[in-house]
Amino acid sequence: MWYVIQVMTGKEEEMKTIIESKLHRDLYEDCFYIRRERIWCLEGQKICHVETMFPGYLFVTTKDPEALYWELKHIPGLTKLLRAEEDIFLAVSSEEQEFLENLIDEDKEKIVRLSDVKLDDEKKILSAEGPLKHYVGNIVKKKIRLCYVMIEKELFGQKRKILIGIRTREERKQ
């Protein structure tokens, strides 16, 4: 199962490296954070870059979250394993995990790639390929010119607006 570890925002890579170097691999299978591709417009140029999708969150897969918790207590700088109640660790639900896996689509680097969208003449999204393809119906905001949409999903115990980078099929060909 996936569990959520809260860390200082901006320290995701650093904490991931510390966990991988200090904890025995018997305690966990994988430790990662999710990033996403974004397009920025600079001086008329569209530039793709990668940023952290959920700042301050690491994900860890483990069969023994309690043993992992006690080992994590020895690592300075880690905030906490998120908990749903006093003694129960917050596991990512199967629906949430499926959602996140759909976004990263088995990308080994855990990056949510840009979604290619097809637009009609009024800039309405007709269809999408990539991470957005299953969630076109969840769009609550779209900024076609700025190359992103926001979808709304229940995640980590609350409704969240999640930004997904897009590009039109015409832009992809350029």
Side-chain angles (χ1 to χ4, degrees):
M1 292 190 72
W2 289 16
Y3 292 86
V4 180
I5 302 172
Q6 192 173 16
V7 299
M8 285 179 50
T9 299
K11 301 285 186 182
E12 298 85 7
E13 181 65 31
E14 181 182 331
M15 295 313 294
K16 174 183 175 286
T17 302
I18 290 170
I19 288 170
E20 290 174 342
S21 67
K22 295 200 183 258
L23 295 186
H24 196 277
R25 287 303 298 222
D26 290 348
L27 289 170
Y28 70 99
E29 295 165 26
D30 196 9
C31 179
F32 61 93
Y33 62 103
I34 299 174
R35 298 178 297 154
R36 67 174 161 225
E37 291 182 333
R38 277 287 303 274
I39 293 180
W40 289 100
C41 295
L42 296 171
E43 299 175 5
Q45 296 275 354
K46 289 190 176 184
I47 298 167
C48 185
H49 80 108
V50 177
E51 65 187 19
T52 302
M53 187 162 193
F54 303 108
Y57 291 99
L58 283 180
F59 297 88
V60 64
T61 55
T62 183
K63 293 180 175 124
D64 191 352
E66 190 167 348
L68 178 65
Y69 170 77
W70 291 110
E71 289 301 314
L72 288 172
K73 292 288 249 179
H74 302 295
I75 297 177
L78 275 182
T79 308
K80 58 186 171 184
L81 259 160
L82 292 185
R83 297 173 180 235
E85 295 174 20
E86 185 56 34
D87 292 317
I88 301 172
F89 301 108
L90 180 62
V92 176
S93 73
S94 58
E95 294 84 18
E96 292 170 335
Q97 185 171 333
E98 180 181 341
F99 167 69
L100 294 170
E101 286 173 340
N102 281 340
L103 292 182
I104 57 178
D105 193 30
E106 299 183 25
D107 187 301
K108 290 186 184 352
E109 296 178 35
K110 308 291 195 267
I111 297 175
V112 178
R113 301 293 178 184
L114 294 173
S115 288
D116 294 318
V117 296
K118 182 176 181 184
L119 306 172
D120 66 11
D121 293 336
E122 287 84 44
K123 305 280 186 204
K124 182 179 177 198
I125 296 174
L126 299 173
S127 64
E129 295 175 17
L132 186 59
K133 78 176 168 187
H134 300 294
Y135 305 105
V136 173
N138 296 81
I139 294 173
V140 293
K141 181 179 181 180
K142 63 181 177 187
K143 296 285 185 175
I144 303 300
R145 190 178 65 77
L146 298 176
C147 304
Y148 75 84
V149 297
M150 299 283 267
I151 63 172
E152 191 170 76
K153 286 292 282 179
E154 183 84 20
L155 200 59
F156 318 136
Q158 58 185 276
K159 271 201 185 298
R160 296 182 186 265
K161 288 188 169 80
I162 299 162
L163 184 145
I164 297 179
I166 61 168
R167 66 181 167 200
T168 62
R169 292 189 176 144
E170 294 76 34
E171 290 171 327
R172 186 173 126 193
K173 292 173 186 171
Q174 293 176 354

